[in-house]
Amino acid sequence: MRGAAGRHCKLQRIAWLLVMLFSGLSWMLATGQDVPSKASSPPSAKIPSDRVKQYSDLAVEWMQEYLRIDTTNPPGNELRAAVFFKRILDKEGIENYVLEYAPGRADLWARVPHTNAQAKKPIILLNHMDVVTSDASHWRVPPFSGTIIGGAMYGRGAQDMKDEGLAQLLVMVMLKREKAALDRDVLFLAVSDEEAAGTGTDWMITHHRDLLENAEFLINEGGENLLENGKVKYVGVDVGEKSPLWLHVVAHGRPGHGSRPNPDSSPDRLVRALDRIIQYRTPLKVLPVVEEFMRDMAPYEEGERARQFRNIREAIRDKNFQEEVERDESLNYLLRNTITLTMLGGSEQTNVIPPEAWANLDARLLPGEDPKAFLESIRQLVNDPNVTVDPLNSEFRVANASTTDTALFNAIRQVAQHYFPDTPVVPRLTSGYTENQRYRPLGISAYGFSPYTATQQEGSTEHGNDERIRVEELRRGPRILYDVVMGVAGAR
């Protein structure tokens, strides 16, 4: 009997292993994932494959509908997008409010509540509904068509950031439909006017701070999961951002007829001043977050570059590396304050020399920089009493950052290891401003994290022409974000 029983138990164990293997492979085939080598199955693996497919189908359907809503800022008209969100949330039975704070402008708040008796502080899924302007004449398809070409969906906002807003919406729906056990509230917050003045977030914090529920964590736009040669090079999580200091340069000079040029004309003075500014190389500096990022990436680099990344403080003293930084846009912004010429203005007629000519500069300062000292350095560089340099905005927000020693960052690491085995998860300093800067002073750990991968070419379409996202990413991204949210909010 012992031999027969032993053989029976052994057969049971083999059968159990085969069932587990088949279940895992079925999930991978249904979701289009490679079998991970290290991490345990994520929360979404418990969702039946037919429902996983339904969520992926909804992601494509709803993204197309969302991209067709024109929320170009100015004027924004984000209320249209808020109504779109509300229709879906109402149908799903998810608590939500549309908060219109100006004609055509609104924020939307929604909540999937905790199920545990003892709740932790909430997590906020933050997104903005407005998008930047676009020139349809330079696009392959109309910017608000949501057209799919070659496996990619085109539309203004496909990278910034209707894609992530859509993923966050799907996560709320998945949490509700799957009756997820939660030990903290999951809040969805879609705001207006991020691309301009940030009035949506400012209004929300001023008038409805209570709806933020003293949250502990926040996931927002940002981050970068760079896809190179079919493999994710790194999962970058933004823990800090540079602060914008937009400058207005005005040159004053003697006006006159264009047929009689004079060296004291305002356009000539402006060009000379701008040339000095553009040629200026701000000092190279190494912040701790940048040092950590480069040290983490060193094992994935080769030769001299790997050595430089391992000791970036030493590398920046080398003139050859300094020249390399100048040529490499991905390094340059990390290691210095940057200045970019973006706008010019002068006469409205070709044959008229105007009394004034002007330009706008987009300066981005590293965390910890003194804006007044930076402004004074630019004025001294121009060194022309007939050229003024002044801030465009009355308020400068000193940059802040979040630590990586949190449950949310750890959840991102674990989920990334499942979907992208052996890929480094690294903290990043982003070149662009995000509204994380406004929420961290409230005591919230805020990160820029994207559940989507993108090639450098795809990522460059943000604020550019032919903005797009691959459909396969739309289908997978919400599931990755769901796993991250469950990793930090799922009841144990």
Side-chain angles (χ1 to χ4, degrees):
M1 291 294 292
R2 280 183 64 188
R7 285 193 299 273
H8 179 69
C9 290
K10 185 175 182 180
L11 288 172
Q12 281 186 320
R13 287 196 297 270
I14 292 173
W16 179 81
L17 288 171
L18 287 172
V19 169
M20 293 300 292
L21 177 62
F22 179 78
S23 298
L25 288 173
S26 297
W27 178 80
M28 291 297 174
L29 290 171
T31 59
Q33 299 301 308
D34 295 328
V35 178
S37 59
K38 293 184 178 180
S40 59
S41 295
S44 63
K46 299 176 182 177
I47 303 175
S49 59
D50 61 329
R51 289 213 296 272
V52 170
K53 182 179 182 302
Q54 289 173 8
Y55 294 135
S56 295
D57 292 344
L58 283 175
V60 177
E61 176 187 338
W62 287 347
M63 182 63 173
Q64 203 163 36
E65 185 176 353
Y66 191 19
L67 288 177
R68 289 170 178 166
I69 302 172
D70 185 348
T71 52
T72 301
N73 188 11
N77 291 321
E78 297 94 342
L79 180 59
R80 302 170 182 171
V83 170
F84 162 74
F85 283 139
K86 182 172 179 56
R87 173 173 55 81
I88 293 170
L89 293 165
D90 283 348
K91 184 177 180 180
E92 299 293 332
I94 297 173
E95 177 188 9
N96 70 90
Y97 301 106
V98 172
L99 306 165
E100 188 173 3
Y101 66 90
R105 316 211 78 166
D107 296 339
L108 181 137
W109 175 94
R111 173 174 57 189
V112 175
H114 65 275
T115 56
N116 274 14
Q118 296 296 321
K120 299 176 182 177
K121 294 181 179 180
I123 178 173
I124 299 173
L125 305 179
L126 175 70
N127 65 89
H128 64 82
M129 298 175 284
D130 58 321
V131 298
V132 297
T133 58
S134 51
D135 184 347
S137 66
H138 293 285
W139 284 57
R140 294 180 64 183
V141 296
F144 297 99
S145 65
T147 301
I148 297 175
I149 302 176
M153 187 180 295
Y154 286 68
R156 177 56 86 215
Q159 291 285 334
D160 182 19
M161 68 168 296
K162 287 186 174 181
D163 58 335
E164 190 148 359
L166 185 281
Q168 293 175 0
L169 174 69
L170 250 297
V171 167
M172 300 294 283
V173 171
M174 292 169 73
L175 292 172
K176 183 64 186 289
R177 290 190 183 183
E178 300 303 320
K179 299 180 173 59
L182 301 172
D183 61 11
R184 62 176 89 228
D185 289 358
V186 179
L187 308 180
F188 175 89
L189 180 58
V191 298
S192 296
D193 197 34
E194 187 275 346
E195 295 288 3
T199 58
T201 272
D202 285 348
W203 184 86
M204 190 75 188
I205 291 173
T206 300
H207 297 280
H208 287 285
R209 177 89 171 263
D210 58 308
L211 292 179
L212 304 182
E213 297 184 12
N214 196 25
E216 182 176 6
F217 299 122
L218 182 147
I219 295 177
N220 188 20
E221 65 179 328
E224 180 184 43
N225 309 322
L226 184 61
L227 190 64
E228 287 187 354
N229 302 317
K231 185 179 184 339
V232 179
K233 185 176 182 180
Y234 57 78
V235 174
V237 183
D238 290 344
V239 300
E241 303 81 27
K242 297 174 81 170
S243 282
L245 178 64
W246 291 350
L247 301 176
H248 187 54
V249 183
V250 180
H252 306 268
R254 179 162 54 88
H257 198 287
S259 64
R260 295 188 179 187
N262 70 76
D264 292 326
S265 73
S266 61
D268 284 12
R269 285 187 179 277
L270 179 65
V271 169
R272 289 194 292 269
L274 293 176
D275 183 60
R276 296 188 192 104
I277 295 172
I278 291 171
Q279 296 302 321
Y280 175 48
R281 295 294 176 258
T282 56
L284 294 175
K285 302 178 181 180
V286 181
L287 296 179
V289 63
V290 174
E291 186 174 24
E292 183 179 352
F293 166 74
M294 302 190 84
R295 189 171 56 244
D296 289 348
M297 289 304 301
Y300 303 89
E301 300 291 340
E302 297 179 354
E304 181 68 9
R305 194 173 177 91
R307 185 191 66 79
Q308 293 164 343
F309 275 36
R310 280 194 297 270
N311 193 341
I312 186 62
R313 293 184 185 276
E314 178 183 328
I316 63 170
R317 292 197 286 266
D318 180 80
K319 288 188 176 180
N320 291 330
F321 183 70
Q322 292 172 9
E323 293 176 1
E324 183 180 340
V325 169
E326 299 290 345
R327 297 188 297 268
D328 191 333
E329 293 181 11
S330 66
L331 289 179
N332 193 38
Y333 83 88
L334 288 173
L335 296 167
R336 58 158 43 106
N337 299 322
T338 58
I339 309 168
T340 304
L341 172 63
T342 57
M343 296 180 70
L344 289 165
S347 176
E348 295 183 2
Q349 289 182 246
T350 304
N351 62 348
V352 173
I353 299 174
E356 291 185 357
W358 61 271
N360 285 351
L361 302 171
D362 185 343
R364 303 278 169 149
L365 306 191
L366 293 166
E369 292 293 297
D370 182 348
K372 293 181 180 178
F374 180 83
L375 176 60
E376 185 57 32
S377 71
I378 299 301
R379 287 170 173 166
Q380 291 180 10
L381 185 68
V382 169
N383 193 29
D384 186 336
N386 291 308
V387 178
T388 60
V389 184
D390 295 296
L392 270 173
N393 302 322
S394 58
E395 181 184 11
F396 176 81
R397 295 176 185 269
V398 177
N400 51 46
S402 294
T403 177
T404 59
D405 185 21
T406 67
L408 176 54
F409 200 93
N410 187 53
I412 293 172
R413 284 189 190 278
Q414 291 181 353
V415 172
Q417 186 58 216
H418 174 84
Y419 287 94
F420 314 112
D422 302 318
T423 298
V425 179
V426 294
R428 293 177 72 249
L429 177 73
T430 183
S431 60
Y433 169 86
T434 76
E435 290 190 329
N436 286 343
Q437 294 285 318
R438 285 166 152 93
Y439 290 90
R440 290 195 187 106
L442 306 182
I444 301 173
S445 293
Y447 299 119
F449 170 72
S450 173
Y452 304 108
T453 72
T455 64
Q456 188 172 25
Q457 183 182 34
E458 290 166 343
S460 68
T461 64
E462 179 180 328
H463 286 215
N465 300 327
D466 292 332
E467 189 174 357
R468 60 191 181 274
I469 183 171
R470 276 170 288 123
V471 172
E472 64 181 351
E473 287 299 312
L474 284 174
R475 297 184 67 84
R476 179 178 63 174
R479 191 165 60 255
I480 292 177
L481 186 59
Y482 174 86
D483 288 331
V484 169
V485 170
M486 285 295 293
V488 75
R492 303 301 191 271

